[in-house]
Structure formats: structure tokens, C-alpha cells
């Protein structure tokens, strides 16, 4: 008789949890997974996937506007139907929920559709029933954080944006991170008047300074009213929507106010601390380099732990955990050259170090920058420009930072990230033949470093 009911009990059916459960079961482990909501977590239900679908929807507005420059006459002004987009999205998300269910069923994972609580390092309680497991993996993700602002109940968080009953004609976005910038761009593209309120002097705090400035400029050109160095004091509901009072006393009227003011790990009400699992001051589960918490049989991956809150990172961490618990344990996770994209219009794509971080880490660096209008916009009539930047470590000639603001930056940077992980030097970039005419070729044709 095995000592435990399961080899692995996973709490949370998002990206990291489902991947871990499925992979462990495929390696012969007896696995259960508890999830009290739809399968797929934030990414599938209220994050990456629906966000990207809505970003595509916004992209059509750009294409319609550009089409006359290419000889097209549109029979009538295109109209956007918010209710139809929502229905289309909901259908696709339901399909994906089913795909996740199928993956778990196919692998033989026992799915428990309920809230789970930790009792101790080897016991989980669900619906009053206890289950024991040799290993417990917490992969419960995160949730939006809303600061203590008077009347904050009149605002919404990103989860609600996908299903707003009516399309907001006037949208105010509070925050200047990934989510704030993406939603501002999407809703602007779909036709809303958008104001973005950021407390700092720039958006996208962790990104390269040139990228931040360039993006802010481009977002401004699309008609987003970007207000920096401003705090929200209060929200009040009026007959015509929500009245937002700012720190300088100004007021703004909105149909919807989105708080995109960061996310916090989902660790409350799960019995973690009572079971001895240490949390950091932000509520995240503290893990070691093998994703073990302070209770070694309890592990954590993804947004609930202290690392990078990105879906592909959670997936990779889950693979490392499963490999260690149920296979050879050779897989390693490297956080140094994790590429990422912000799906603003235009996109931001980035991999490696910002210029400032590279100077701090490597000392002397060479910087290559390029800014241009893409071929597409010679006839489209749009004034959108593209920005690219390389950061090169002088000592080794290695490209340690690669940044782009421009169409399809996410697609472009993904490929370059492979080269960067492999240690590509500037000489390797220079020796690579470009694909003409593309924007991406600019990354292999930048010859003159910036002065200084
Ligand atoms: P971020 O940490 O990126 O941004 C939070 C924003 O809220 C910052 O601009 C921050 O300001 C502001 N803020 C925080 N607290 C307050 C406050 N009290 N008052 C006013 N403003 C405040 O978080 P997000 O929620 O946008 O995204 C969370 C994470 O999710 C990201 O870091 C990213 O890893 C991931 N994500 C990834 C996406 C992708 O890959 N495309 C898309 C969406 C999310 P300040 O800059 O001053 O700190």
C-alpha cells in the first residue's frame, strides 16, 4: 500500500498547475488537481489569451484606417460590435477550458473542482475531505491589487474588462505597467477615449528608459491621454458615470475606471501559514532554487511564488519541478534572458538587460539604436515609428540587451532571444544576413554605436 493517496497534489489549475499535473501523470505519478474556477487560470480566462484576442480586434481599426493609402475604398465606415466580440471571445475561452480538461483527463489526473486548503505538509482538505500526498504543489497564481483609494469600489480590475456590459466610451486607466498600457492601447484601438494615469514620471518601470519614452510618445500619437506624475485621490459615482478626482485637484469623467495597479499572489485562506509555509512581505510563497517552500514537501511555481510573473515562466518552472520529482532532475531554469512583450499598439519586445542594468552589471557597454518609419507606413498614412536598441557588453562583445517598440515586436524578439541565450555577440549579429525588406533586419544592420 502506498503511504499517501497521491504522489502529487496540485492546488490551482492555471498554466503552471495544469502543466505540472499533466507532466507528472504522464510520468506515471498518481496526481490530483484542485481548481475551484474554470481551468486555465488567469492566462486563459482573464489574461494573455483574451487580451491578445482583443488586441487583434483593436488592430483591425488600424488596418481600416490604413487601407485607403493602399488603394482601398471601404464601402461604409466600419462599425465595431462589442457584444459580438465578447461572445466570440467567450466561445473560444470555453473551447480552451475544454482543451485543458481534456489534457488532464487524458493524462489520468483526478480533477477536484473545489477550493483546497493545506492541513500540513502532506495533507490537503477539499470539501471537508482530506487527501494525502507525497508532494503538494501550490500554483494558485495571483490577482489584481487595488490601492486604498476612496470610492475604489466604483472602479474595476482587469478581470472585469473582458466582459463589461457596455463598451466604455470614456475609459480611465490607473497604473502604468503591462496591464495598464495594454488595456489603454486596446480600448483606444476599439474606439474609446482613454486617459492613463501613472504616479511615476514614466510607464513600464522595469523597461529600458529609451523604450519607455518611445512607447509613451507612440501611445500619445494614437490619442491616449497619458498623464504622468499623477495620483488618483477619489472616485465618485454620478448620474453620468464615475468622477475621478486627481491629486492636483483636477477631475475626469469616465464610464469605466480600470485599476491596473499591480497584482498580488493568491495565498490567502489556504492554510499556508498555519501549515508552516513562509510567505514574503508581499504574500508570495518563498521558494528555494528547487521551488520548495519552507515546508520542503510543499512546492510553489508561477505567480504565487517570488519569481517572474509570466505564463511561460510558470510553465518552465512546472517542468523543472516535475523533472526533479519524477524524472532525472536535470532540467534547470534560467531567469537571465527571459524575453517578454507588452501588447500595446505598437508592441514592446525585450530580452536581457536594460542599458542601465547592463552598465551596473557589466561596466562598459556599447549602445546601438535605430528609429525609423517602417515601409508599411510610407503609404498607410500613419505616423507610427519603430525603435530598436542593442546593448553590447564591451568586454565580451555579447549582446546582453535587445529592445524594440514596433509592430510584431513580440514575434521578432522571440527569435532573437534564442541567439541571446546562446551567447550571440555583436559580431554574430553583424555577420547575419538580413531579410529584406523587414523591420527585424535592422537588428543585424546597426553599425554605428551611440556616442559616449
Ligand atoms: P505592473 O507591476 O507591471 O504595474 C503596476 C502598475 O501599477 C505600475 O505602474 C505601478 O506604478 C502602479 N501602481 C502600483 N501601486 C499603485 C498605487 N498604490 N497607486 C498608483 N499606482 C500604483 O503590474 P501589472 O498588474 O500591470 O502586471 C503584473 C505582471 O503581470 C507584470 O509584471 C507581468 O509580469 C505580467 N503581465 C505580463 C503580460 C505580458 O507578458 N504581455 C501582460 C500582463 C501582465 P509604479 O510604476 O510607480 O510602481
Amino acid at each position: 500500500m502506498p503511504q499517501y493517496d497521491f504522489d502529487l497534489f496540485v492546488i490551482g489549475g492555471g498554466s503552471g498547475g495544469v502543466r505540472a499535473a499533466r507532466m507528472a501523470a504522464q510520468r506515471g505519478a498518481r496526481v490530483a488537481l484542485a481548481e475551484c474556477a474554470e481551468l486555465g487560470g488567469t492566462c486563459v480566462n482573464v489574461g494573455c489569451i483574451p487580451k491578445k484576442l482583443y488586441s487583434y480586434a483593436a488592430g483591425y481599426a488600424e488596418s481600416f484606417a490604413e487601407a485607403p493609402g493602399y488603394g482601398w475604398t471601404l464601402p461604409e465606415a466600419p462599425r465595431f460590435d462589442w457584444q459580438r466580440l465578447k461572445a466570440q471571445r467567450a466561445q473560444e475561452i470555453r473551447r480552451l477550458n475544454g482543451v485543458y480538461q481534456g489534457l488532464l483527463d487524458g493524462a489520468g489526473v483526478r480533477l477536484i473542482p473545489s477550493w483546497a486548503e493545506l492541513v500540513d505538509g502532506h495533507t490537503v482538505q477539499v470539501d471537508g475531505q482530506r487527501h494525502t500526498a507525497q508532494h503538494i504543489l501550490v500554483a494558485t497564481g495571483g490577482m489584481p491589487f487595488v490601492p486604498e483609494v476612496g470610492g475604489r469600489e466604483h472602479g474595476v480590475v482587469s478581470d472585469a474588462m473582458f466582459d463589461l456590459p457596455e463598451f466604455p466610451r470614456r475609459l480611465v486607466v490607473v497604473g502604468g505597467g503591462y496591464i495598464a498600457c495594454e488595456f489603454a492601447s486596446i480600448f483606444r484601438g476599439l474606439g474609446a477615449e482613454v486617459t492613463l494615469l501613472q504616479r511615476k514620471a514614466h510607464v513600464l518601470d522595469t523597461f529600458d528608459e529609451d523604450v519607455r519614452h518611445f512607447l509613451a510618445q507612440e501611445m500619445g500619437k494614437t490619442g491616449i491621454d497619458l498623464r504622468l506624475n499623477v495620483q488618483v485621490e477619489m472616485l465618485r459615482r454620478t448620474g453620468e458615470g464615475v468622477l475621478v478626482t486627481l491629486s492636483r485637484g483636477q477631475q475626469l469623467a469616465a464610464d469605466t475606471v480600470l485599476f491596473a495597479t499591480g497584482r498580488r499572489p493568491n495565498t490567502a485562506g489556504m492554510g499556508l501559514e498555519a501549515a508552516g509555509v513562509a510567505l514574503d512581505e508581499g504574500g508570495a510563497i518563498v521558494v528555494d532554487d528547487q521551488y520548495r517552500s519552507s515546508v520542503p514537501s510543499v512546492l510553489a511555481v508561477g505567480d504565487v511564488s517570488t519569481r517572474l510573473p509570466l505564463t511561460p515562466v510558470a510553465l518552465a518552472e512546472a517542468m523543472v519541478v516535475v523533472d526533479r520529482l519524477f524524472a532525472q532532475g536535470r532540467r534547470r531554469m534560467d531567469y537571465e534572458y527571459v524575453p517578454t512583450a507588452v501588447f500595446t499598439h505598437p508592441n514592446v519586445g525585450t530580452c536581457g538587460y536594460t542599458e542601465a542594468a547592463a552598465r551596473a552589471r557589466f561596466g562598459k557597454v556599447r549602445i546601438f539604436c535605430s528609429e525609423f518609419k517602417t515601409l508599411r507606413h510610407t503609404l498607410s498614412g500613419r505616423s507610427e515609428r519603430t525603435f530598436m536598441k542593442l546593448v553590447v557588453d564591451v568586454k565580451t562583445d555579447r549582446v546582453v540587451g535587445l529592445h524594440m517598440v514596433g509592430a510584431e515586436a513580440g514575434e521578432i524578439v522571440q527569435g532573437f532571444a534564442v541567439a541571446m541565450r546562446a551567447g550571440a555577440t555583436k559580431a554574430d549579429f553583424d555577420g547575419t544576413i538580413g531579410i529584406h525588406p523587414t523591420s527585424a533586419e535592422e537588428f543585424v544592420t546597426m553599425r554605428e554605436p551611440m556616442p559616449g
Side-chain angles (χ1 to χ4, degrees):
M1 269 295 274
Q3 191 185 349
Y4 301 107
D5 302 334
F6 297 101
D7 300 313
L8 176 67
F9 195 106
V10 179
I11 307 178
S15 305
V18 169
R19 175 63 65 90
R22 183 162 71 90
M23 290 298 156
Q26 282 176 358
R27 280 161 183 70
R30 296 167 308 135
V31 183
L33 182 145
E35 169 59 69
C36 59
E38 298 295 344
L39 286 173
T42 300
C43 172
V44 167
N45 294 289
V46 285
C48 325
I49 301 297
K51 178 270 308 288
K52 190 79 189 279
L53 293 174
Y54 283 14
S55 172
Y56 286 133
Y60 280 96
E62 293 168 6
S63 300
F64 294 137
E66 293 171 10
Y70 280 93
W72 290 93
T73 302
L74 302 175
E76 55 179 300
R79 274 176 300 115
F80 168 64
D81 184 341
W82 172 241
Q83 304 304 338
R84 194 154 85 233
L85 175 63
K86 285 196 300 179
Q88 289 279 95
R89 179 217 86 238
Q91 193 182 355
E92 173 57 12
I93 301 307
R94 266 196 304 278
R95 188 188 71 80
L96 290 174
N97 297 144
V99 168
Y100 271 64
Q101 171 96 47
L103 289 173
L104 292 175
D105 290 347
V109 174
R110 174 154 164 223
L111 181 61
I112 306 175
S114 284
W115 180 267
E117 273 178 50
L118 212 61
V119 177
D120 60 41
H122 293 284
T123 313
V124 172
Q125 178 156 311
V126 193
D127 295 333
Q129 197 185 337
R130 291 189 172 198
H131 305 273
T132 60
Q134 185 172 6
H135 310 285
I136 295 168
L137 177 67
V138 184
T140 45
M143 60 179 165
F145 158 79
V146 178
E148 294 288 337
V149 171
R152 62 182 189 162
E153 66 278 10
H154 303 307
V156 301
V157 294
S158 55
D159 295 6
M161 288 301 285
F162 300 103
D163 245 333
L164 290 174
E166 298 299 329
F167 184 77
R169 209 168 40 78
R170 301 160 304 171
L171 173 67
V172 168
V173 179
V174 187
Y178 275 76
I179 296 179
C181 291
E182 288 183 341
F183 275 102
S185 269
I186 289 168
F187 279 81
R188 177 67 200 136
L190 294 176
E193 283 170 26
V194 177
T195 308
L196 185 143
L197 308 172
Q198 159 68 334
R199 63 180 176 180
K200 283 209 180 107
H202 53 254
V203 293
L204 295 183
D205 196 38
T206 55
F207 285 68
D208 186 89
E209 197 179 336
D210 289 333
V211 166
R212 289 185 208 142
H213 286 142
F214 197 85
L215 178 70
Q217 224 169 283
E218 289 300 319
M219 285 174 73
K221 278 197 221 164
T222 67
I224 295 171
D225 180 1
L226 203 72
R227 303 199 191 175
L228 303 172
N229 296 310
V230 65
Q231 287 274 12
V232 172
E233 294 277 295
M234 196 176 65
L235 265 53
R236 192 157 58 80
R237 182 158 292 286
T238 68
E240 286 160 37
V242 182
L243 195 66
V244 183
T245 304
L246 309 182
S247 43
R248 302 172 202 141
Q250 301 127 305
Q251 292 192 316
L252 280 171
D255 300 307
T256 299
V257 178
L258 165 64
F259 281 104
T261 37
R263 296 178 62 83
R264 296 288 181 269
N266 262 333
T267 45
M270 285 171 48
L272 290 168
E273 283 170 297
V277 174
L279 307 181
D280 70 10
E281 67 281 4
I285 297 179
V286 181
V287 292
D288 65 11
D289 58 357
Q290 302 192 331
Y291 305 100
R292 288 177 301 207
S293 73
S294 52
V295 178
S297 57
V298 178
L299 304 107
V301 294
D303 294 8
V304 77
S305 67
T306 43
R307 316 279 179 140
L308 272 178
L310 295 169
T311 293
V313 169
L315 295 175
E317 291 175 347
M319 299 294 280
V320 172
V321 164
V322 171
D323 184 56
R324 187 175 73 75
L325 299 183
F326 304 110
Q328 287 88 3
R330 292 208 199 100
R331 249 177 205 273
R332 293 281 173 273
M333 181 68 200
D334 180 359
Y335 294 90
E336 199 177 15
Y337 289 97
V338 174
T340 179
V342 189
F343 294 102
T344 39
H345 293 224
N347 286 186
V348 176
T350 187
C351 182
Y353 293 80
T354 64
E355 179 179 340
R359 286 191 192 284
R361 164 89 165 74
F362 302 102
K364 250 177 131 29
V365 294
R366 267 179 303 148
I367 304 297
F368 297 81
C369 287
S370 179
E371 192 208 307
F372 55 95
K373 183 189 240 190
T374 60
L375 182 59
R376 180 186 179 101
H377 295 314
T378 54
L379 299 192
S380 74
R382 281 167 68 88
S383 61
E384 181 179 299
R385 294 182 72 77
T386 292
F387 173 75
M388 290 177 172
K389 177 169 180 176
L390 291 177
V391 183
V392 179
D393 172 20
V394 167
K395 235 185 332 287
T396 59
D397 195 42
R398 183 173 181 180
V399 178
V400 294
L402 182 142
H403 310 277
M404 174 173 176
V405 184
E408 305 295 357
E411 302 289 344
I412 291 168
V413 170
Q414 179 70 83
F416 281 105
V418 179
M420 291 176 69
R421 259 190 63 77
T425 59
K426 181 65 169 62
D428 292 322
F429 274 57
D430 293 346
T432 302
I433 305 296
I435 300 176
H436 188 71
T438 62
S439 299
E441 69 177 315
E442 197 66 19
F443 273 131
V444 296
T445 53
M446 289 194 228
R447 295 288 181 261
E448 282 302 314
M450 302 294 285

